[in-house]
């Protein structure tokens, strides 16, 4: 019979495993909906600067809890784009979460910049990076650069991000100098055609 601290520890482990499984199932359903064109989008004119600030604010306690320094560079001016708010939120959250969980870095920089016809959103970290051999596969479904990662992540997050960016007629790329700098850059057109 298990009791006291040991019981609490087992309950904590079971809760964490259940949560991880729920996250995996949610990601899997999202991926299937995207790839079968069953995901419905609701585009509206939104200030991407304000929306990104609101998303990033929720991550600050995680940065501080994990002793990750952060730099947020977002212009104060409005920059209205045609976006699906929930899809864009998923894009931004997945990229930030990816940097926190998998980079092992001590600094994250989140930036929103403006070009004449597009917004450029980037998430940069100074962690372990992505090997040159892995770069071509990083957006593939179920791909995990670190084969020992096991329980961490589903291998679906970046594939989902890529699909959501495509739904906005945008592009995503990754550049990495291992153990120096990795940047995910999302280009979103102001008026997707």
């Amino acid at each position: 019979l298990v009791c006291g601290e040991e019981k609490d520890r087992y309950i904590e482990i079971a809760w964490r495993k259940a949560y991880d499984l729920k996250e995996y199932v949610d990601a899997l359903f999202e991926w299937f909906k995207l790839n079968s064109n069953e995901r419905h989008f609701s585009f509206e004119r939104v200030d991407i600067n304000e929306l990104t600030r609101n998303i990033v604010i929720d991550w600050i306690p995680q940065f501080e809890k994990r002793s990750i320094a952060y730099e947020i560079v977002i212009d104060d001016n409005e920059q209205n784009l045609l976006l699906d708010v929930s899809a864009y939120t998923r894009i931004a959250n997945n990229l930030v979460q990816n940097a926190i969980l998998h980079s092992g870095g001590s600094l994250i920089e989140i930036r929103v910049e403006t070009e004449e016809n597009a917004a450029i959103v980037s998430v940069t970290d100074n962690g372990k990076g992505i090997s040159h051999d892995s770069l071509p596969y990083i957006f593939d479904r179920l791909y995990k650069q670190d084969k020992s990662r096991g329980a961490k992540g589903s291998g679906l997050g970046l594939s989902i991000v890529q699909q959501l960016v495509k739904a906005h007629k945008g592009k995503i790329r990754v550049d990495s100098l291992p153990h120096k700098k990795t940047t995910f850059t999302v280009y979103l057109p102001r008026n997707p055609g």
Side-chain angles (χ1 to χ4, degrees):
L1 191 65
V2 180
C3 58
E5 284 183 27
E6 192 175 7
K7 178 182 172 188
D8 292 344
R9 193 167 56 85
Y10 284 128
I11 290 171
E12 171 74 21
I13 289 168
W15 183 86
R16 216 172 32 244
K17 294 282 185 193
Y19 182 79
D20 290 346
L21 183 60
K22 180 197 175 302
E23 290 279 300
Y24 182 75
V25 169
D26 288 349
L28 198 55
F29 277 129
E30 179 77 8
W31 187 84
F32 277 123
K33 281 197 290 188
L34 285 165
N35 281 283
S36 62
N37 294 320
E38 291 180 20
R39 168 72 153 81
H40 300 287
F41 294 93
S42 177
F43 292 96
E44 58 185 290
R45 283 260 164 232
V46 178
D47 177 5
I48 192 171
N49 290 335
E50 184 66 22
L51 179 56
T52 306
R53 270 193 291 277
N54 290 334
I55 294 166
V56 172
I57 283 169
D58 290 339
W59 284 103
I60 290 174
Q62 282 296 314
F63 298 151
E64 292 173 350
K65 178 181 174 186
R66 295 167 185 259
S67 300
I68 298 172
Y70 56 91
E71 186 175 344
I72 301 163
V73 182
I74 302 174
D75 192 12
D76 287 334
N77 295 329
E78 272 190 34
Q79 184 175 183
N80 290 311
L81 265 72
L82 208 52
L83 297 174
D84 178 293
V85 172
S86 69
Y88 177 75
T89 300
R90 181 83 185 244
I91 291 166
N93 280 331
N94 277 19
L95 292 177
V96 173
Q97 182 178 36
N98 196 58
I100 289 173
L101 294 180
H102 305 303
S103 77
S106 60
L107 172 67
I108 292 177
E109 179 185 291
I110 300 158
R111 192 177 276 277
V112 181
E113 298 173 293
T114 306
E115 283 188 351
E116 187 178 334
N117 296 314
I120 303 166
V121 181
S122 61
V123 177
T124 302
D125 67 71
N126 67 344
K128 64 185 174 189
I130 301 165
S131 72
H132 181 71
D133 293 343
S134 291
L135 279 173
Y137 309 104
I138 204 72
F139 295 106
D140 288 358
R141 175 179 56 94
L142 302 178
Y143 183 78
K144 294 182 183 182
Q145 176 184 246
D146 181 357
K147 305 300 182 212
S148 67
R149 212 167 74 195
K152 272 192 185 176
S154 63
L156 293 169
L158 291 176
S159 179
I160 289 170
V161 166
Q162 184 183 49
Q163 295 294 325
L164 293 174
V165 169
K166 282 182 182 176
H168 285 82
K169 308 289 191 240
K171 295 178 184 171
I172 184 168
R173 61 176 284 166
V174 60
D175 299 288
S176 187
L177 288 169
H179 304 289
K180 289 191 173 138
K181 178 177 169 181
T182 298
T183 302
F184 284 88
T185 307
V186 175
Y187 299 86
L188 295 170
R190 192 177 300 281
N191 295 300

